[in-house]
Amino acid sequence: MKQKRILKGLFLLFTVFVLSATLNAHAYAKKNITVTPAKVAKQAKKHPSIYNKYTRHYTGLNDYLDKIGKKGGGTLTVKKGTYKISNSIYVPSNVTIVFQNGVVFKKINKTGTSYKPSGSMWQLCSRSKSKKKNSVKKYNGSKNVTFKCKGKVVFDMQGIDGICIVAAHNNNIDISGITFKNMNGNHYMEINGTKNAYIHNNTFSKAKSSTLLKYYNKEAINIDLPDAKTHGLPLAWVKKDLTPCLNIRIENNIFDGNTRGIGTHKFSQNSKGENVYHTNIVIKNNVFKNIYDNAIFPLNWKDTTITDNTFTDIGLKNKKSYSSGAHAISGGGIVGMNITNNTFTNVKRNIIYFCIQQNVGPGSEYDKVKVMLTKEETEAMLNNKVVNCGDDMNDIFAGYDVLYFQGDSSRSKENAVGVNITTGMINYDFTKKPDKNK
């Protein structure tokens, strides 16, 4: 009798184990989904009220990502083909999207319905939260999100004014291997109030020609924070809580034909009037070429490293007269800046130029931001290579590869610091005529 009870107990345990394994396997299968354009369209047919040739791909992809999100995460594998996207695709936490060779995502500007198309293609936010105002704050949005490409993968904005990938209030994102095309009047990527982002091995190709001429401050990668005063990322679900970017690594990318490569075009200050800094930004081993304005424009950045990059043909067609334009690296609000081991070729003006900056338009009520560089950081800039680059428009400050203004950071002889990399000379006192032969 006792033996029967033991056997019965073992049988029950075995049954529970098998059932549990079956359920886990079933759940696991739901977490890992592979799609084609046809499969995505078939899934979208479950929503007949909005299904048509314009909406089918974004609708089907959102359905699959919702399923993965409800299971706590997983992998969506996107197979070869063209996916036409009228409205945003929302990505929840713990999701890896693997794009196979030959995948093309095209932004389109029609829905065939009463609602308008979106400006963005991707938003790193769960779809449920995207419908609620101020639902995401600090770094509590989608986390552990990866876009991984196997072969050639293209995200084509097709000249539509919008942002290809919006990353706001995220933590731990990894985006690599994408060729971005046809930006117009905005950015390829918006990294906003996000920490621990790794952007690598992508190609950010030419923006629309009118964008280069009209929107001189439109970066391929915009590093920003959510601020109602500056109109920083006006999406309803994004809480405007002044969360800065932290630990951003941008490595092994190509920026070719953009207005600006990487940068920030508005800065923010808290209720006490203190600067809010984007901190620990690393820009390494990238190629910047044929850039209309500045390759990199740091604004309220702290503890930044810019190293092992190449800059070629920067600002050559830029006819704007403002002093911060047509440099390889320019900006303000600088605290801690390590710029070493880069190569600069054919830059219209100084390769590096920092001075006082002020927001134009929204956010102009904030105090101007200054430049704070140490002598050690200045001397380290000698460890760069310069070939056929220009200098300042004013003869007073001419003859220097690097020019910045300390103190109150306004353009004056009292504030100026100049570095001539070829001769190894650093001038800390423009009130005296320097001996450039030393």
Side-chain angles (χ1 to χ4, degrees), residues 26-65:
H26 184 62
Y28 185 80
K30 283 192 174 182
K31 287 185 180 181
N32 295 273
I33 299 172
T34 298
V35 299
T36 63
K39 184 176 179 179
V40 168
K42 184 178 179 180
Q43 177 68 22
K45 285 184 177 181
K46 296 180 180 181
H47 306 276
S49 63
I50 61 171
Y51 174 86
N52 60 47
K53 65 181 180 180
Y54 304 113
T55 63
R56 58 188 179 179
H57 288 150
Y58 103 86
T59 301
L61 286 165
N62 272 321
D63 265 16
Y64 284 123
L65 285 166

Side-chain angles (χ1 to χ4, degrees), residues 350-353 378 381 400-404 417-421:
N350 316 79
I351 62 169
I352 300 168
Y353 177 90
T378 304
M381 293 181 191
Y400 297 94
D401 302 301
V402 177
L403 180 66
Y404 71 86
V417 175
V419 180
N420 187 305
I421 291 173

